[in-house]
Amino acid sequence: MSCLSDTSRRPNIIELGANWIHGSEGNPIYKLAENHNLLKNTARLQTFNARYRLRGDTFMPGGQVIDREIVQEFLHMYEELIEECCNFFLKKKTPHPPDESVGNYLEQEFPKRLNQSTDNDDVKRLKMSLFKQHLKQETFINGCHSMKEVGLQYFGEHVCFAGGNINLPDGYDTVFGVLLKDIPSECILYNKQVKCVLWDQVEADTNNSRAERHPQHGVSIVCEDGEILKADHVIITVPLGFLKKHASTFLQPPLPEKKQRSIAKMGFGVVDKIFLEYEKPFWEAGSPGFQLVCREEETEPRCPEEWYKKLYIFYVDPKAPNTVFCWLSGEEALHMETLPEEEVAHKIVEVLRRFTGNDEIPLPQRLVRSRWGNDPLTCGSYSFMAVGASGEDIDTIAEPLYSPHTGEPVVQFAGEATHRLYQSTVHAAYLSGQREADRLIHLCRP
């Protein structure tokens, strides 16, 4: 989370990372926020449906606004296809071929349904353009570069809580404040980067004749500054992207081959946000944002140099009402991360002018962006079920490493990529952390 300039009595808050609580019905994060009165500021409370459908205008180049009835008709057809994709897993159907991707399936099926409609040719072209735009939007929802990377067979295993996506009025760090308040400050080390974890160790306790069954400090955490921390157990919560890059070196002895294969099979993509702060909004007051839809023949960008062609939706967050932000995913996001901020700002404003037809849109006062792909501690944003991967791979990644001497778990794994039902969400990270804490509590009970 970050704060922009204070243009009112309350600071403008932007979220570089997690933005929403995904669902209210049964979601432990929502329950935590509700119990601690974190949703009280209703003036800054914002919700969207499960796939972030926006009620704002949908622009095509030149300022053309697509009729909302056409947009709704398209969404009805599109949501039916998404449901079909989920049903391969839910109804135990096997795609043909078995390693089919969600992207391929959608690209094959949508034109068929569109051609069967009674729409005239102009409306069909508009709906095909909307379809191409929504394929881009799916990449941010799923955390991938292309939906052709996402496996169809297990797409429906991911479970969504009902109740839409809820934007925390005062930022996600209010949740962390609740979680941290009962932990003594001396129990937390910040800016303490870990180099590797040495886990297959037993140091005999001379005062304990049962040391082989209950080793003392069987794990050594080697920090980049040279300090070595001793522990009996460790729970690793690093992002899957970090494990993908460092699986063979971060733990010693290295992870078992089965776990390394599952880490390699799972997908982990880059999703970035770009925030543009203005002195005065150029959009209509009260607007939740707007979408940009390229003409069908312009939808395929030359990657990555035409990164800006993957810009598809802009949101206005009530926590920063003079700021508009957009998402960028995949290889285009990685390329954007390398560009100077001034170049990014100029290009986005050029795109906005072209689509809205408003040549008076100024450059922003300030641009803020995330760079999750080039962050060495994350190496990306969140996980997805790649073609060839399955829920069993998530379970394998989550499986602890057991001491060969005691049979007890000495290294455990938590984080969004270790939860089979809710991967890619904050509540997956939260629930997986509880799972591993409960494992240790059960182990330590007399």
Side-chain angles (χ1 to χ4, degrees):
M1 194 179 82
S2 178
C3 288
L4 294 173
S5 58
D6 191 355
T7 58
S8 66
R9 296 181 65 183
R10 300 180 69 88
N12 286 328
I13 299 170
I14 64 172
E15 308 272 14
L16 290 174
N19 215 101
W20 283 283
I21 299 174
H22 298 289
S24 58
E25 299 180 21
N27 189 327
I29 303 297
Y30 183 87
K31 189 67 175 175
L32 184 151
E34 187 177 47
N35 289 345
H36 291 84
N37 206 24
L38 304 184
L39 304 174
K40 61 183 178 180
N41 187 2
T42 55
R44 297 167 73 153
L45 185 63
Q46 184 184 52
T47 62
F48 291 97
N49 70 19
R51 304 198 78 77
Y52 302 90
R53 303 300 176 228
L54 188 64
R55 299 189 191 95
D57 287 333
T58 302
F59 289 99
M60 295 192 76
Q64 176 189 354
V65 178
I66 302 178
D67 185 276
R68 294 194 181 189
E69 185 175 342
I70 292 175
V71 174
Q72 289 304 312
E73 290 173 358
F74 158 77
L75 285 174
H76 179 72
M77 186 185 302
Y78 183 79
E79 295 293 353
E80 285 184 343
L81 280 174
I82 291 293
E83 185 176 351
E84 284 182 21
C85 291
C86 293
N87 281 339
F88 279 96
F89 175 81
L90 298 175
K91 297 185 177 180
K92 296 180 170 59
K93 299 190 298 182
T94 302
H96 300 289
D99 61 350
E100 183 63 285
S101 71
V102 173
N104 280 338
Y105 183 81
L106 292 175
E107 287 186 352
Q108 292 164 11
E109 293 299 318
F110 183 80
K112 293 179 186 177
R113 314 296 167 88
L114 189 58
N115 289 334
Q116 292 168 1
S117 73
T118 58
D119 295 328
N120 63 42
D121 288 345
D122 287 340
V123 172
K124 285 181 179 178
R125 278 192 288 270
L126 283 176
K127 289 183 178 178
M128 182 56 72
S129 296
L130 282 163
F131 172 69
K132 295 287 188 180
Q133 187 260 6
H134 275 70
L135 280 184
K136 296 177 186 178
Q137 186 166 323
E138 289 295 335
T139 65
F140 121 69
I141 295 171
N142 288 273
C144 59
H145 169 67
S146 164
M147 290 305 291
K148 292 183 179 181
E149 298 174 337
V150 180
L152 180 60
Q153 176 71 74
Y154 297 98
F155 184 68
E157 188 167 14
H158 185 278
V159 175
C160 294
F161 289 118
N165 296 299
I166 298 93
N167 187 337
L168 278 156
D170 293 320
Y172 236 117
D173 71 341
T174 56
V175 171
F176 290 107
V178 169
L179 297 175
L180 290 171
K181 68 178 183 179
D182 294 326
I183 303 175
S185 58
E186 63 269 18
C187 293
I188 302 175
L189 291 177
Y190 295 98
N191 299 316
K192 195 74 172 177
Q193 187 172 339
V194 175
K195 182 177 182 180
C196 67
V197 176
L198 310 177
W199 63 275
D200 186 10
Q201 297 183 321
V202 173
E203 294 185 6
D205 182 347
T206 56
N207 296 317
N208 185 352
S209 61
R210 296 193 301 166
E212 286 301 305
R213 290 184 57 200
H214 298 281
Q216 300 296 306
H217 306 317
V219 184
S220 296
I221 298 114
V222 182
C223 301
E224 288 287 357
D225 62 8
E227 184 176 1
I228 297 177
L229 306 174
K230 298 288 188 175
D232 299 325
H233 307 272
V234 61
I235 300 175
I236 292 177
T237 62
V238 298
L240 179 63
F242 183 89
L243 283 181
K244 277 179 166 291
K245 189 170 183 179
H246 302 287
S248 62
T249 59
F250 187 61
L251 288 104
Q252 295 296 329
L255 291 172
E257 287 187 13
K258 181 181 179 183
K259 191 182 285 282
Q260 291 200 44
R261 284 196 300 270
S262 290
I263 289 170
K265 286 164 68 177
M266 285 293 296
F268 193 82
V270 179
V271 179
D272 280 318
K273 294 180 188 175
I274 309 170
F275 296 83
L276 306 175
E277 182 192 20
Y278 284 89
E279 181 177 358
K280 180 181 178 181
F282 62 81
W283 52 90
E284 292 184 10
S287 171
F290 45 89
Q291 301 176 90
L292 309 181
V293 176
C294 294
R295 295 185 177 89
E296 185 184 352
E297 65 273 12
E298 299 176 339
T299 55
E300 298 299 332
R302 292 196 308 273
C303 183
E305 61 270 21
E306 289 186 328
W307 61 272
Y308 50 89
K309 287 190 176 182
K310 209 172 185 180
L311 298 171
Y312 36 81
I313 194 164
F314 287 75
Y315 280 101
V316 179
D317 192 325
K319 300 192 298 294
N322 282 11
T323 301
V324 66
F325 75 96
C326 58
W327 279 276
L328 195 64
S329 49
E331 294 175 22
E332 292 86 356
L334 278 172
H335 182 70
M336 180 278 300
E337 291 183 16
T338 68
L339 301 176
E341 287 186 358
E342 185 176 310
E343 181 177 342
V344 174
H346 274 84
K347 183 54 70 175
I348 293 179
V349 169
E350 179 184 312
V351 168
L352 290 172
R353 289 172 179 171
R354 177 171 177 252
F355 276 84
T356 63
N358 180 3
D359 292 334
E360 303 303 316
I361 295 177
L363 288 169
Q365 287 183 312
R366 184 182 177 195
L367 180 143
V368 179
R369 57 179 166 172
S370 62
R371 287 175 166 171
W372 296 115
N374 284 288
D375 187 320
L377 301 182
T378 60
C379 306
S381 302
Y382 42 87
S383 66
F384 64 91
M385 192 69 72
V387 172
S390 73
E392 291 181 4
D393 290 302
I394 295 177
D395 290 344
T396 298
I397 295 170
E399 182 69 17
L401 299 177
Y402 294 90
S403 168
H405 309 284
T406 67
E408 295 180 352
V410 288
V411 178
Q412 296 160 243
F413 297 86
E416 58 84 11
T418 70
H419 200 293
R420 187 163 179 165
L421 299 183
Y422 306 127
Q423 59 161 124
S424 82
T425 65
V426 172
H427 52 269
Y430 178 81
L431 289 169
S432 66
Q434 285 189 329
R435 177 193 68 211
E436 297 309 316
D438 287 343
R439 194 192 302 271
L440 284 182
I441 291 170
H442 178 76
L443 178 68
C444 296
R445 277 181 181 153

